[in-house]
């Protein structure tokens, strides 16, 4: 009989120095305190596979812990409890993403009688607050660190320009794969059609929200390390692999979180969860650009903010820019009761819509 274990994963996102960050940890057994929920025997930190221990050990994971009904009143309460234990961080904004339970998400040879289903969560925080709420010593004890999410998805950062790796390496490799890939009939579109749609080529438009679809296409094509690791294999010498891998299916969970956040900032004011209580319009724009992976026209963006009536002046100014004082703004919370979908509706690559 197959047993089901429930795990909880948190993609904890923040912005620091104009860079979108994700909190990553390494969770060896001897790093746990008595207050830390016990890891599942199939947690990536205890996993074994045909791949070398060094290969597995070098891959970070999202914060993770099992759901324990005797200790946790709800799934979210469990998530908050072990994130606090592992990282010292008190989570603020949290929302459930998706349930991840595909066969093959673990690679242990002795896992035949246990299937692990993981519930992924998106959590947002302002990094300046983590210095007050976080226990740095405890975070370091789990190998915790903040890392740019573009380390895992470098093709998603268009703020300076279209990434050179797309046309130089990634898309040619995908075209080679799609030209010979077998269509299993389970998907509405062929491999080549999905390549064109997800990566915005051959006349299609790049949609920044399709982070998960792009990653899954790379996985299917064997262009990320997880494709081989999940099969207990090593890639052939010379195989092109893109982006830093993560334990188990944690990069897929992170891709889901980024997709959700990029979508949600257009119809909910979640961007303000990543900002201090007061900020300049330049800081607001830079934060939106960091999340969306796109450069936004300054005047168009400010017009969008003005039309959306999402912020109000505090009456104070900031001199931290080194130039003339910049007006400080804050989130205008009354907008939450004025209309149902207040957000910064950044449209396609060449378009923004007032919200």
């Amino acid at each position: 009989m197959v047993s089901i274990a429930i795990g909880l994963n948190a993609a904890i996102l923040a912005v620091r120095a104009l860079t979108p960050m994700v909190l990553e940890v390494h969770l060896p057994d001897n790093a746990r305190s008595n207050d830390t929920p016990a890891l599942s025997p199939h947690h990536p930190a205890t996993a074994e596979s045909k791949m070398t221990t060094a290969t597995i050990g070098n891959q970070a994971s999202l914060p993770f812990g099992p759901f324990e009904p005797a200790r946790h009143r709800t799934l979210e309460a469990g998530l908050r409890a072990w994130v606090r234990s592992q990282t010292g961080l008190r989570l603020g904004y949290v929302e459930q993403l998706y349930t991840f339970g595909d066969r093959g998400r673990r690679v242990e040879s002795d896992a035949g009688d246990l299937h692990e289903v993981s519930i992924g969560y998106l959590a947002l925080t302002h990094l300046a607050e983590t210095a007050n709420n976080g226990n740095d010593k405890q975070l370091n004890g789990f190998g915790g660190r903040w890392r740019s999410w573009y380390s895992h998805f470098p093709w998603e950062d268009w703020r300076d320009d279209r990434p050179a790796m797309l046309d130089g390496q990634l898309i040619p490799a995908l075209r080679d794969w799609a030209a010979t890939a077998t269509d299993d009939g389970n998907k509405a579109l062929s491999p080549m059609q999905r390549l064109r749609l997800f990566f915005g080529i051959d006349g299609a438009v790049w949609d920044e929200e399709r982070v998960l679809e792009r990653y899954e296409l790379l996985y299917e094509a064997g262009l990320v390390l997880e494709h081989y690791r999940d099969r207990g294999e090593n890639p052939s010498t010379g195989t092109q692999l893109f982006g830093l891998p993560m334990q188990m299916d944690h990069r897929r969970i992170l891709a889901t979180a980024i997709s959700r956040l990029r979508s949600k900032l257009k119809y909910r004011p979640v961007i303000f969860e990543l900002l201090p209580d007061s900020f300049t319009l330049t800081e607001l724009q830079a934060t939106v650009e960091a999340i969306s992976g796109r450069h936004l026209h300054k005047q168009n963006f400010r017009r969008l903010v003005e039309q959306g009536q999402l912020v109000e002046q505090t009456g104070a100014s900031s001199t931290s820019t080194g130039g003339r004082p910049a007006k400080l703004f804050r989130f205008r919370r009354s907008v939450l009761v004025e209309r149902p979908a207040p957000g910064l509706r950044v449209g396609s690559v060449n378009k923004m819509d007032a919200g």
Side-chain angles (χ1 to χ4, degrees), residues 20-248:
M21 313 294 283
V22 57
L23 182 59
E24 300 177 344
V25 294
H26 292 271
L27 298 174
D29 286 337
N30 60 10
R32 296 199 308 269
S33 69
N34 292 333
D35 295 329
T36 303
L39 297 178
S40 158
H42 304 291
H43 183 272
T46 62
E48 296 178 356
S49 74
K50 297 177 184 178
M51 301 190 75
T52 65
T53 301
T55 300
I56 296 295
N58 288 335
Q59 297 169 18
S61 74
L62 300 174
F64 173 97
F67 175 62
E68 299 177 346
R71 297 182 58 189
H72 305 141
R73 186 176 61 86
T74 65
L75 293 169
E76 184 175 318
L79 178 94
R80 291 180 181 275
W82 56 250
V83 167
R84 175 65 172 167
S85 296
Q86 292 175 6
T87 70
L89 181 66
R90 292 187 184 276
L91 294 180
Y93 178 91
V94 172
E95 70 169 85
Q96 191 175 123
L97 281 174
Y98 192 71
T99 300
F100 300 84
D102 290 355
R103 189 162 55 101
R105 71 185 303 270
R106 295 179 287 101
V107 294
E108 302 92 328
S109 60
D110 63 342
D113 61 345
L114 180 64
H115 186 74
E116 190 168 81
V117 174
S118 184
I119 301 174
Y121 284 82
L122 165 66
L124 305 179
T125 189
H126 173 231
L127 264 184
E129 297 173 357
T130 64
N132 299 323
N133 294 338
N135 185 324
D136 291 339
K137 183 178 180 180
Q138 191 162 4
L139 180 58
N140 292 338
F142 287 101
R145 60 166 291 175
W146 290 96
R147 187 198 297 272
S148 168
W149 75 37
Y150 292 129
S151 298
H152 301 291
F153 309 99
W155 54 88
E156 295 290 341
D157 189 359
W158 287 53
R159 287 174 294 173
D160 292 331
D161 203 348
R162 180 182 176 91
M165 68 177 302
L166 278 173
D167 298 318
Q169 300 167 287
L170 195 149
I171 288 176
L174 281 170
R175 284 190 186 277
D176 289 344
W177 164 77
T180 59
T182 302
D183 189 348
D184 60 11
N186 292 326
K187 297 181 175 65
L189 301 177
S190 70
M192 188 64 75
Q193 288 173 324
R194 285 183 284 134
L195 168 58
R196 290 168 179 155
L197 178 62
F198 299 161
F199 282 86
I201 62 173
D202 299 341
V205 175
W206 176 276
D207 183 348
E208 71 272 11
E209 295 178 27
R210 292 188 179 274
V211 183
L212 178 60
E213 289 98 324
R214 285 188 282 272
Y215 171 72
E216 290 189 327
L217 194 67
L218 288 166
Y219 181 99
E220 185 180 345
L223 296 174
V224 294
L225 182 62
E226 289 90 336
H227 171 96
Y228 302 95
R229 188 201 58 211
D230 292 352
R231 293 161 174 77
E233 303 172 355
N234 281 303
S236 302
T237 302
T239 300
Q240 293 189 88
L241 300 173
F242 298 94
L244 289 180
M246 300 183 76
Q247 297 273 11
M248 265 175 28

Side-chain angles (χ1 to χ4, degrees), residues 278-281 283 313-329:
S278 60
F279 47 84
T280 66
L281 292 182
E283 290 169 338
Q313 294 187 33
T314 66
S317 298
S318 171
T319 58
S320 61
T321 59
R324 58 186 298 183
K327 294 179 181 179
L328 286 172
F329 292 79

